[in-house]
């Protein structure tokens, strides 16, 4: 089983939104083989809490424009790691310190990555 076309559309839209808000280390994984509850994870990070929140807001705005509404959102108050669950995808926006500490890429490295649009730019330092 692989991520659905709808999940891929949401991932790509969310990745573009994160890129537009200068997110770092943008990567997406097809986790459909490993998890029954979602098809894909999108990971992005930022250098400060305010930027984390800006990325989250942009992702939600863009996905709302194409008809997607989050089922839940966690971690917004702290602005260190915000998780936005859309059912078929889960978006993780982390402060760079949390990104390094939790290293989600290591946990999901056996899952295939999802190719993101060429205009998605990870604004790494």
């Amino acid at each position: 089983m692989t991520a659905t076309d709808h999940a891929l559309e949401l991932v790509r839209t969310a990745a573009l939104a994160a890129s537009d808000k200068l997110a770092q280390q943008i990567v997406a994984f097809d986790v459909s083989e490993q998890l029954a509850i979602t098809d894909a994870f999108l990971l992005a990070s930022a250098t400060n809490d305010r930027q984390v929140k800006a990325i989250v807001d942009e992702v939600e705005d863009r996905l709302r424009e194409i008809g997607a509404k989050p089922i839940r959102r966690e971690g917004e108050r702290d602005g260190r790691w915000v998780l936005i669950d859309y059912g078929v995808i889960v978006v993780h926006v982390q402060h760079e310190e949390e990104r390094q500490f939790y290293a989600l890429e290591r946990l999901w490295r056996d899952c295939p990555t999802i190719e993101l649009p060429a205009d998605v730019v990870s604004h790494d330092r």
Side-chain angles (χ1 to χ4, degrees), residues 33-73:
E33 293 285 326
Q34 305 295 322
L35 297 174
I37 57 172
T38 193
D39 284 354
F41 282 168
L42 178 72
L43 311 177
S45 54
T47 57
N48 60 64
D49 302 356
R50 184 197 253 144
Q51 188 182 11
V52 167
K53 290 176 182 179
I55 294 166
V56 166
D57 289 345
E58 188 68 15
V59 167
E60 283 193 328
D61 288 347
R62 295 277 189 87
L63 290 179
R64 191 176 305 108
E65 288 174 7
I66 61 169
K69 294 181 180 150
I71 295 168
R72 68 183 173 155
R73 181 191 223 195

Side-chain angles (χ1 to χ4, degrees), residues 18-36:
S19 174
D20 287 350
K21 289 298 177 182
L22 308 180
Q24 298 177 350
Q25 302 173 32
I26 303 168
V27 63
F29 293 99
D30 181 336
V31 296
S32 61
E33 293 285 326
Q34 305 295 322
L35 297 174

